[in-house]
Amino acid sequence: MASDITRMANLPSGIRICSTFPDILYLPELIFGGLVWILVACTLVEPNNPQGWVMFVSVFCFVMTFIWLMVFAVGGHHNSSGWAAADFIYHGIAAFFYLSASVALARVTLDLRGSNAKGIKDYKLDISAVVFSYVATLLYFIHTVLSAIRWKTF
């Protein structure tokens, strides 16, 4: 157990980000966040306000997670506790944003269940987007918890 904590305390760089927790979660976060982005963009975005928030969150988190992944991959963090804290803060904000977007998307999808305004294809795409949005929320939350543990071990 002590060796796991010691290993977790060092911020990885290069290819090691693909083999350490919580950094291994970057790729699933990108995949599921990208799926939410694509699925919502494929539907008729109606009503605009909640769907616009979902699009903002999915695009923002996708771009920022990719940038964060690149910073860690090229070693731009230099193993300081400031980067560990920033990693925890970013993933906490992303988890909160995705949770709010997931709830809004689920509500819009439930409201459209009985109406034929969007059609069955768009309804099914919205259901898929809701599922992937909650999976992305879970991934970001797990990453937040593991980042907090890593930050506290510095």
Side-chain angles (χ1 to χ4, degrees):
M1 181 72 178
S3 65
D4 291 339
I5 292 173
T6 306
R7 212 173 351 135
M8 233 176 130
N10 297 324
L11 293 173
S13 61
I15 197 70
R16 285 187 21 220
I17 61 172
C18 294
S19 62
T20 58
F21 274 98
D23 304 304
I24 199 167
L25 297 174
Y26 281 123
L27 294 177
E29 289 168 357
L30 286 171
I31 291 169
F32 285 103
L35 285 171
V36 172
W37 177 10
I38 291 167
L39 289 170
V40 172
C42 287
T43 65
L44 177 62
V45 179
E46 201 177 286
N48 294 332
N49 195 17
Q51 297 287 62
W53 174 246
V54 173
M55 285 298 292
F56 168 76
V57 168
S58 60
V59 171
F60 172 78
C61 289
F62 185 87
V63 170
M64 288 303 295
T65 300
F66 183 76
I67 290 171
W68 210 247
L69 174 70
M70 290 298 110
V71 166
F72 276 78
V74 299
H77 50 56
H78 303 294
N79 284 338
S80 71
S81 63
W83 279 98
D87 188 44
F88 161 68
I89 291 168
Y90 164 67
H91 282 92
I93 291 169
F96 177 73
F97 276 9
Y98 254 111
L99 180 62
S100 67
S102 298
V103 169
L105 185 59
R107 181 63 188 169
V108 167
T109 304
L110 283 174
D111 288 345
L112 295 172
R113 176 178 46 181
S115 69
N116 287 332
K118 288 181 77 173
I120 193 71
K121 179 184 172 205
D122 286 341
Y123 177 67
K124 288 180 180 180
L125 288 173
D126 275 351
I127 290 173
S128 300
V130 169
V131 170
F132 291 138
S133 183
Y134 277 109
V135 170
T137 302
L138 180 64
L139 289 169
Y140 278 106
F141 179 75
I142 292 169
H143 201 142
T144 301
V145 170
L146 294 175
S147 293
I149 292 169
R150 178 170 59 192
W151 174 41
K152 290 300 179 182
T153 59
F154 264 98

